[in-house]
Amino acid sequence: MTKHKAGDPADFPEKTREPDATLRVGPHGLLIPRQTFEAWEARLTAEVGFSKAAIAAELCRRLGL
């Protein structure tokens, strides 16, 4: 028997996958699969660029705010 620390890769036989994304608007929350979110985000930034202000403005426009 070999000693190992908690969290050693031997404790996790399967590779841990990236967490899903949570979209939260006020009291509403949606769990979105990571790949779906990343594809959507790539399309969004292709349309409006990487500026936080531009992304926020586009999200507000899409939400009708």
Side-chain angles (χ1 to χ4, degrees):
M1 182 166 155
T2 60
K3 291 184 178 182
H4 64 273
K5 297 183 209 172
D8 187 288
D11 292 336
F12 304 99
E14 294 179 27
K15 182 181 176 187
T16 303
R17 67 183 187 88
E18 290 287 326
D20 291 335
T22 302
L23 173 64
R24 187 165 309 281
V25 179
H28 311 288
L30 303 168
L31 193 59
I32 303 168
R34 172 61 52 185
Q35 287 182 320
T36 300
F37 176 79
E38 288 177 349
W40 172 83
E41 183 182 37
R43 289 189 308 272
L44 175 68
T45 55
E47 290 178 27
V48 302
F50 292 89
S51 159
K52 284 185 179 185
I55 291 169
E58 179 62 12
L59 292 176
C60 286
R61 186 192 72 74
R62 291 182 184 191
L63 290 169
L65 303 173

